[in-house]
Amino acid sequence: MKTIGQSLSSYRVIGVKPGFNLPEENNVSAFKVITESSFPGKWKIFYFYPKDFTFVCPTEISEYNKLVKDFNERNAILLGGSSDNEFVKLAWRPENSNLYKLNHWQFSDTNGSLIDQLGIRHETGVALRATFIFDPQNIIQHITVNNLNVGRNPIETLRILDAIQTGKLCACNRTLNGKTL
C-alpha cells in the first residue's frame, strides 16, 4: 500500500464527466481518460467504493456531491469510483435520484491501475472504502481506508483537506456551504 508522502505512479482510468446521464449528450462524450497528468495544479480527492448499485454508496456519493462547491473553492477536484465500468456508472445515475446529473467526476478502474497501486483491493476483488487526498504534485497527503460496510463522512474529508492546506498554505476565509468558517 502506498502511504503518506509517496507519489502516484502512472495510471489510467475512465472518467465519467459531471452532469452526464448518457454516454453522449449534445454530441459530447460523457467519458474522458484520466491519468496522473489530468487536472494539473489541482488537489485531487479520490474516494473509492466497492460497487455501483449498492445500498451504502449512493448516500456517500450524494453527500460528497453536496460539497462539490466547497471542494472547488479549495482548488480540489472530487473523483469517486469503483472497479465497475463507466457504463454501469452512467446507468446508475438515472436509477437513483440522488445521483441524477451528478456534478462531480466518477471514474472506472476496471483494470485496477489505481486500486492495486494504492493497495486497497479487498479479497473479494472490489475496492475498499478508501479516501485519498493528493496535493497538486500527486503526493499523498491523507489516507483513510474502511471496510466494505463502513461509510464515510464527506464533511470530515473537507475538514482534513482544510487542515492539510492550512499546514501548506494560508487557508484564510474558508467556507462550508457558503458560510465563512
Side-chain angles (χ1 to χ4, degrees), residues 41 49 71 73 92 108 121 136 138 147 152 163 178:
Y49 52 89
F71 282 106
E73 289 172 355
W92 196 20
S108 169
R121 188 178 296 275
N138 290 327
N147 208 341
R152 291 162 281 208

Side-chain angles (χ1 to χ4, degrees), residues 128-142:
L128 292 165
R129 283 187 198 283
T131 307
F132 289 81
I133 297 177
F134 295 93
D135 69 18
Q137 292 74 43
N138 290 327
I139 297 170
I140 299 169
Q141 298 297 324
H142 171 77

Side-chain angles (χ1 to χ4, degrees), residues 69-113:
K69 181 178 177 235
D70 298 296
F71 282 106
N72 289 342
E73 289 172 355
R74 290 153 174 84
N75 195 35
I77 300 293
L78 185 62
L79 304 108
S82 70
S83 58
D84 288 325
N85 74 40
E86 62 275 22
F87 295 100
V88 173
K89 286 169 185 11
L90 277 182
W92 196 20
R93 289 180 180 189
E95 292 293 319
N96 186 307
S97 61
N98 291 325
L99 305 179
Y100 188 78
K101 295 287 185 182
L102 196 66
N103 64 2
H104 69 276
W105 286 88
Q106 284 188 297
F107 64 91
S108 169
D109 190 13
T110 56
N111 66 4
S113 67

